[in-house]
Amino acid sequence: MKLIFLGPPGAGKGTQAEGIADYYGIAHISTGDMLRSHVRQGSPLGLEARGYMERGELVPDGLILKMVEQRITASDCEKGFLFDGFPRTIAQAEALEEICDIDYVVDIDVPFERLVKRITGRRMCPDCGSAFHISDYKESTCQRCGGKLYQREDDKEETVSRRIKEYSAKTEPLIAFYQAKGKLLQVNGDQSRELVAKAIREELGV
Ligand code: AP5
């Protein structure tokens, strides 16, 4: 099974991805998590990507594609994978078509006015990548693994609006791209986490 989760920043892609990837026994591939790990390690890719990410801009396609092509050769991708945050441009989607055939694209739709609150209140675990929200989780350590929660550098209000603009200009056109290919499943992401998870499963027929 090869899936893509599409949606604006803060739509809940990461929140929903783990459960679905576990269900199918496939790898959860978040290009955002991979890039943040490169930035933390100070690798050449991390050094190149850092400025774009801090400004809320997309990282150039060439860097992303090289990283993804390498990632999907890993042994945990043998049964398939779920892309979270990739592809993000038509050029990335076209390049992906050259390397594999995607089964479904799940578009998680949330009105833009809800996103800022979701993103600025998010706290992340650096160790396992789990995301929490200050409105319903008050602890400073991760519920799953005990890691010390932090706020992402690009989750500050001034950067969030830039990320949403990048999404509108460069990523939203992918909805029509995948609709035309008959691969698009649309889910209302503006409801509780549990109801979003249920809606995704219903769309996937599982
Ligand atoms: P990335 O890490 O991919 O960020 P994003 O797409 O902007 O998505 P987010 O992680 O912000 O949101 P999400 O949809 O996963 O929401 P979450 O589940 O956490 O990318 C970061 C940067 O890396 C980019 O800006 C770019 O620079 C670069 N990059 C990455 N991939 C790239 C690519 N392919 N090409 C070029 N550049 C790339 O939920 C958000 C919050 O809401 C959480 O607090 C959560 O608890 C809460 N929440 C979730 N669901 C619900 C719900 N149903 N109700 C209420 N709250 C909810």
Side-chain angles (χ1 to χ4, degrees), residues 7-16 30-33 35-36 49 52-54 56-61 64 67-68 84-89 92 108 110 115 117-119 121-124 129 131-136 152 154-155 163 166 189-194 196:
K13 302 180 295 294
T15 299
Q16 299 297 335
S30 157
T31 44
D33 286 348
L35 289 167
R36 279 184 288 280
Y52 295 100
M53 295 173 78
E54 284 180 357
E57 295 168 11
L58 293 186
V59 172
D61 291 335
I64 298 292
M67 185 177 80
V68 168
D84 158 7
F86 173 85
R88 262 197 160 79
T89 61
Q92 289 180 17
I108 305 179
V110 177
L115 300 173
K117 193 170 160 238
R118 279 201 190 181
I119 297 174
R122 171 170 52 191
R123 297 295 179 267
M124 296 286 299
F132 301 91
H133 198 277
I134 52 171
S135 63
D136 52 22
R152 267 169 50 177
D154 62 345
D155 278 357
R163 286 167 59 196
E166 285 278 272
D190 189 16
Q191 48 185 341
S192 72
R193 293 172 180 81
E194 295 71 25
V196 178

Side-chain angles (χ1 to χ4, degrees), residues 58-99:
L58 293 186
V59 172
D61 291 335
L63 294 180
I64 298 292
L65 288 164
K66 216 163 117 187
M67 185 177 80
V68 168
E69 277 180 45
Q70 195 179 14
R71 176 67 183 87
I72 62 176
T73 61
S75 59
D76 66 337
C77 294
E78 268 165 22
K79 285 176 73 181
F81 36 80
L82 187 166
F83 284 127
D84 158 7
F86 173 85
R88 262 197 160 79
T89 61
I90 296 284
Q92 289 180 17
E94 286 172 347
L96 180 62
E97 290 200 317
E98 302 293 315
I99 45 180

Side-chain angles (χ1 to χ4, degrees), residues 140-159:
S140 59
T141 52
C142 176
Q143 196 174 32
R144 271 189 172 176
C145 74
K148 192 169 173 339
L149 301 183
Y150 76 104
Q151 183 175 31
R152 267 169 50 177
E153 200 52 50
D154 62 345
D155 278 357
K156 312 266 162 67
E157 197 159 345
E158 55 276 18
T159 318

